[in-house]
């Protein structure tokens, strides 16, 4: 069964993460399907959302993080992860329709989109520090562009979660709408973009990337090297175990 569903509506692809039983947490299969959906699209615009009640709760800690019991393999070539590479380098505009919690890599996913429309139920959090990890590239390379360095630093270093009104006030999302109006609002925006000259739209998006973005590949290599080290720490294992055991973690700096 697919973790990610793709539906074509006119010139728009609606990409839905469909693992509601785990709040749309991403496993390796999910990442592969998300990457493929973005790389293979022939649409003029893409809308990414999740099956209620969440947008995406980040990595599946049991599969991707091993439940905190086993370290990640160390012999991994430093690189920008393929799903992030697809999202950050596509010239097709991407809109995140954030219907609920967007935390951990779910927040990274929202940040990798060009525009974010949020339901009143949306929440955002860079939770990596609570698992003894650093964020992926978007938390480092795009969050501060949207909310400013000070607020970005606070979100990254505390792991705090903010609600939709705060996200709008800080400039993290373009608008907040009633939950039932989320997908219609995102689709109306996507359809408007899709109605514009597609070659000009793609060139404009590419130009924004040249003007504003860091070297995602270089940053991705730095992140993967850092994660390779952090995955082997006792603090990472404690962060994951504390989450699964529903208790406060006790970090030691080891």
């Amino acid at each position: 069964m697919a973790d990610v569903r793709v539906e074509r509506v006119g010139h728009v692809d609606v990409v839905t993460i469909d693992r509601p039983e785990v709040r749309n947490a991403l496993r390796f299969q999910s990442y592969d399907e998300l990457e493929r959906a973005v790389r293979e699209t022939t649409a003029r615009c893409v809308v990414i959302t999740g099956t209620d009640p969440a947008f995406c709760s980040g990595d599946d800690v049991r599969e991707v993080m091993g439940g905190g019991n086993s370290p990640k393999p160390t012999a991994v070539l430093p690189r920008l992860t393929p799903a992030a590479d697809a999202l950050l380098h596509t010239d097709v505009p991407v809109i995140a329709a954030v219907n609920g919690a967007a935390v951990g890599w779910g927040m990274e996913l929202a940040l990798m989109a060009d525009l974010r429309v949020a339901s009143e139920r949306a929440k955002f959090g860079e939770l990596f520090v609570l698992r003894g990890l650093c964020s992926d590239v978007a938390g480092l390379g795009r969050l501060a562009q949207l909310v400013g360095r000070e607020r970005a630093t606070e979100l990254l270093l505390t792991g705090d979660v903010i609600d939709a009104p705060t996200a709008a006030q800080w400039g993290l999302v373009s608008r907040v709408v009633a939950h039932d109006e989320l997908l219609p609002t995102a689709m109306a925006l996507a359809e408007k973009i899709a109605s514009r000259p597609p070659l000009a739209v793609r060139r404009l998006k590419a130009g924004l990337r040249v003007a504003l973005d860091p070297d995602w590949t270089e940053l991705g290599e730095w992140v993967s090297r850092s994660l390779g080290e952090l995955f082997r720490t006792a603090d990472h294992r404690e962060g994951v175990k504390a989450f699964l055991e529903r208790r406060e973690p006790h970090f030691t700096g080891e």
Side-chain angles (χ1 to χ4, degrees):
M1 181 178 294
D3 290 357
V4 175
R5 294 185 288 105
V6 181
E7 179 186 5
R8 174 64 61 86
V9 181
H11 291 296
V12 178
D13 269 356
V14 181
V15 177
T16 305
I17 305 170
D18 191 23
R19 302 188 73 211
E21 70 281 3
V22 289
R23 301 179 67 80
N24 301 322
L26 299 169
R27 53 184 175 176
F28 297 117
Q29 175 184 329
S30 317
Y31 279 109
D32 290 343
E33 291 175 2
L34 181 60
E35 178 198 1
R36 190 161 56 249
V38 175
R39 291 201 193 280
E40 296 180 357
T41 186
T42 58
R44 294 185 181 183
C45 194
V46 171
V47 173
I48 297 179
T49 193
T51 300
D52 282 344
F55 175 71
C56 175
S57 61
D59 287 338
D60 186 320
V61 296
R62 296 185 187 278
E63 178 175 331
V64 176
M65 297 184 187
N69 292 315
S70 57
K72 277 281 186 178
T74 57
V76 176
L77 182 68
R79 62 172 182 167
L80 179 63
T81 55
D85 180 79
L87 285 156
L88 292 167
H89 289 118
T90 181
D91 288 336
V92 178
V94 178
I95 298 171
V98 185
N99 56 303
V103 295
W105 212 87
M107 183 164 177
E108 297 291 296
L109 175 57
L111 289 169
M112 290 178 198
D114 302 292
L115 296 162
R116 284 150 295 281
V117 180
S119 157
E120 60 198 348
R121 302 178 189 174
K123 295 182 179 180
F124 299 86
E126 290 276 4
L127 304 186
F128 296 96
V129 71
L130 302 180
R131 310 288 179 259
L133 301 174
C134 66
S135 74
D136 207 336
V137 293
L140 300 171
R142 188 163 280 173
L143 180 58
Q145 288 182 359
L146 294 168
V147 305
R149 181 169 181 149
E150 183 143 344
R151 284 171 170 163
T153 301
E154 182 176 342
L155 290 173
L156 288 166
L157 299 189
T158 65
D160 286 349
V161 175
I162 60 173
D163 60 17
T166 302
Q169 179 185 354
W170 287 9
L172 180 59
V173 301
S174 62
R175 65 204 75 182
V176 177
V177 299
H179 189 72
D180 291 344
E181 293 300 315
L182 176 64
L183 200 54
T185 301
M187 288 299 296
L189 180 58
E191 288 162 358
K192 179 181 285 189
I193 293 170
S195 74
R196 301 313 192 234
L199 296 179
V201 168
R202 293 170 70 92
R203 189 59 62 90
L204 284 165
K205 175 168 177 178
L208 284 169
R209 187 165 60 244
V210 170
L212 297 175
D213 286 352
D215 184 326
W216 293 119
T217 300
E218 181 181 350
L219 185 57
E221 292 172 355
W222 182 91
V223 166
S224 64
R225 284 193 297 269
S226 297
L227 287 173
E229 297 171 3
L230 292 169
F231 270 123
R232 297 193 295 271
T233 64
D235 278 350
H236 166 60
R237 292 190 292 275
E238 168 64 9
V240 173
K241 288 181 179 179
F243 169 74
L244 293 173
E245 295 169 7
R246 300 181 183 277
R247 60 173 174 81
E248 286 297 315
H250 302 283
F251 298 121
T252 61
E254 298 176 350

